[in-house]
Amino acid sequence: MYHAKISGLGYYVPENVVTNDDLSKIMDTNDAWIQERTGIKERRHVVRGDGNTTTSMGVKAAEIAIERSGVAREDIDFIIFATLSPDYYFPGPGVLVQRDLGLRTVGALDVRNQCSGFVYAVSIADQYIKTGMYKNILVIGSELHSYGLDMTDRGRGVSVIFGDGAGAAVISREEDLTQGILSTHLHSEGQHAEELVLIAPGMGKRWVSDILKDNDPNDESYFPYMNGQFVFKNAVVRFSEVINEGLQANNLSVSDISMLIPHQANLRISQFIQAKFKLSDEQVYNNIQKFGNTTAASIPIALTEAWEQGKIKKGDLVVLAAFGSGFTWGSVIIRW
Ligand code: COA
C-alpha cells in the first residue's frame, strides 16, 4: 500500500482576455450584474484559428506539470483527462495527449464529471497509485467552453460565467503514508441531471441529424442549460457536506485546513463556504475573478496558482472540493 502525492502542477490559459464590458457589447449584460452575482471580472476565450483546443491547452498545462515534477515522460504510466468539452465526440482527449506528448502506449481514461471532473480524476489516480499498479499518473482538466456558449441575450445567464483554460497535475507514488492524498470522497445525484445540462448532440434526445432536420433558429438544445438558483442552493449544501465528510474521515477539523481550493463555480458560493467554515481569506484560494468558471480546469488552475504564489507549503492540509452538473460533487484531502 502506497500513498499518492502531487509531484508537479501546471496550467495554461489562452491569451485573449474577455472583460465584462466586452460581453456587454455583444449581449444585454453589464459589469455590475456579473460582478455582483458571480465575482467574475474577466475570463479567457480562445480565438478561432489560434490553435487552441481542449487537448492542446491540456498538453501545454501537462508539459509544465511534468517538467516541475521531475518525472521523465517515459515514466508516466497513465493519463486521466477530465473535460465536458472534448475535441471530438469520440475518441476522448486522453489518447490525443498520449499522441501529442509522445508518451509510451500507456492507458488513457476520459472522465465525464463536469465541474467535479478533476476531483473524480484525482480520486481514480489515487486508487491506482495506492494499489501499486502505477507510479506516475498525468491528470488533466481542460475546457474550451467559448465555442459552445450562446453568446446572445438568450444565453446571458450562462455564458457570462464560463471561461477557457487547462490545468494539470502529475500524481506520483509516495512511500511516507503520513503524506500525500489522505482520502477522496465522491457523490452523485442523477435526479437533477437536467438542471445543468447540454442535451444535444446526444443519443438520448437529439442527435445532429435531428438538429439539421428541424433547422430551428430557436433551438436551444445544443447550448448549455442551467437552473442557476437551484444549482446555487444545492452547491452550498453539498460543498459543506463533502468537506466535512473528508475532514471527519481523517479525524481532522476545520481548524486543521491550511488551504481550501473550491471549484471556481461562483465567487458567491466560495464566500458562502468560507463564511460557513469561518475560514480566513488566506485559507481559501479564488481566481474566478480573472478566469471565470473553467469547469474541470478550475481546481488545477487555482491549485497551481496557489502553489506558485507560495501559499501551499510542505505539511499543509489542502482540501479540494467541487460540485457541478450531474449533480456530482466530491472532495480530496491532501497532506502536502
Ligand atoms: N446580465 C444581466 N442580467 C441578467 C444576466 C446577465 N448576464 N443573466 C440573467 N439576467 C437577468 C435575468 O434575466 C433576470 O431578469 P428578470 O428579473 O428581469 O427576469 C435577472 O437577471 C435575475 O436572473 P436570475 O437567473 O434569477 O439571477 P440569479 O440571481 O439566480 O443569478 C446566476 C444567476 C447564474 C449568477 C446564479 O444563479 C448562480 O450563480 N448560480 C450558480 C451557478 C453556478 O455556480 N454554476 C456552476 C455550477 S458548477
Side-chain angles (χ1 to χ4, degrees), residues 29 33 37 115 156-157 160 226 228-229 263 265-266 269 293 323:
T29 190
W33 191 98
R37 309 285 170 122
C115 298
R156 65 182 181 167
V160 300
M226 178 172 69
Q229 290 183 9
H263 160 55
N266 180 322
I269 293 176
N293 177 340
F323 174 88

Side-chain angles (χ1 to χ4, degrees), residues 27-30 33-34 37-38 114-116 153 155-162 196 226-233 235 239 263-269 288 293 295 323-325:
M27 65 179 82
D28 182 14
T29 190
N30 58 77
W33 191 98
I34 300 172
R37 309 285 170 122
T38 71
Q114 297 65 250
C115 298
S116 310
D153 293 355
R156 65 182 181 167
V158 174
S159 38
V160 300
I161 295 176
F162 294 96
L196 180 44
M226 178 172 69
N227 181 346
Q229 290 183 9
F230 188 74
V231 171
F232 196 107
K233 282 179 199 150
F239 264 111
H263 160 55
Q264 300 292 289
N266 180 322
L267 190 60
R268 306 303 160 223
I269 293 176
I288 190 170
N293 177 340
T295 310
F323 174 88
S325 163

